[in-house]
Amino acid sequence: MGGTALSVLTPYAAERVEPILVEEMTAEGLIRYDPDPNDWYSADGLPYGYYLQSPDTETDPEELQLVERASGATMRCDIGLHIFVSNLAGRPALARMAQRVARRTDGWVFVEFHDPPAAELLHRLADAGRCIPVGDAVYLDAAAMAAWIAHPDFHVVK
């Protein structure tokens, strides 16, 4: 898949997640493309989409166990949000939607970094919410994701 994607792991079932996801995409100003309801467009024509799948489809089993231990719940759905083009301007909207969906579904956003995250950054994110480092990436709860979005070095990779 081209473009950029963010993943949100949640203990909610896909049937419960999808209406929340649709509400948040609409709140971000995206418009659903009638021929394919999983495709959405921003006012400036950027193409977005989503998919819902089992959390163990793409998530490493050890990472999944870390998130489940930290949350105290079994993850039941992996929400994939993506923008189909490599467009830097569309990435903040993607991050905001992921953060709001995570907040509403007790979810965790998977965030990759350009470079391994500095200890100071990890500490700042952990102070804001919950942060699980995994190599050059982290799983952030909604509060930590909000702090990452507000951080001057904010970026989305993938």
Side-chain angles (χ1 to χ4, degrees):
M1 169 190 334
T4 303
L6 283 174
S7 175
V8 181
L9 293 174
T10 177
Y12 288 19
E15 301 79 39
R16 186 170 173 193
V17 167
E18 192 163 25
I20 293 168
L21 180 57
V22 167
E23 285 177 18
E24 293 304 339
M25 293 179 87
T26 302
E28 192 61 42
L30 301 182
I31 300 163
R32 187 175 239 161
Y33 180 62
D34 286 331
D36 186 345
N38 290 343
D39 289 346
W40 295 69
Y41 286 91
S42 65
D44 54 355
L46 294 176
Y48 290 83
Y50 69 88
Y51 59 87
L52 303 171
Q53 63 188 13
S54 172
D56 59 359
T57 302
E58 293 184 31
T59 304
D60 178 273
E62 291 178 15
E63 291 179 17
L64 188 56
Q65 288 178 356
L66 286 172
V67 172
E68 289 178 340
R69 266 187 260 136
S71 68
T74 299
M75 296 297 114
R76 297 180 67 204
C77 186
D78 178 5
I79 305 157
L81 285 162
H82 49 90
I83 182 170
F84 290 107
V85 295
S86 292
N87 183 305
L88 293 177
R91 293 176 182 180
L94 198 66
R96 288 189 300 268
M97 287 185 287
Q99 187 274 331
R100 292 193 310 264
V101 168
R103 179 178 42 83
R104 293 181 63 190
T105 66
D106 300 320
W108 293 77
V109 182
F110 178 74
V111 176
E112 291 182 86
F113 294 99
H114 288 302
D115 299 306
E120 179 274 326
L121 174 60
L122 293 174
H123 183 71
R124 179 183 278 189
L125 296 174
D127 281 349
R130 294 183 293 169
C131 172
I132 303 170
V134 288
D136 291 350
V138 293
Y139 287 90
L140 302 174
D141 71 0
M145 183 64 181
W148 175 233
I149 292 169
H151 193 277
D153 294 331
F154 167 76
H155 61 274
V156 175
V157 176
K158 198 173 179 183

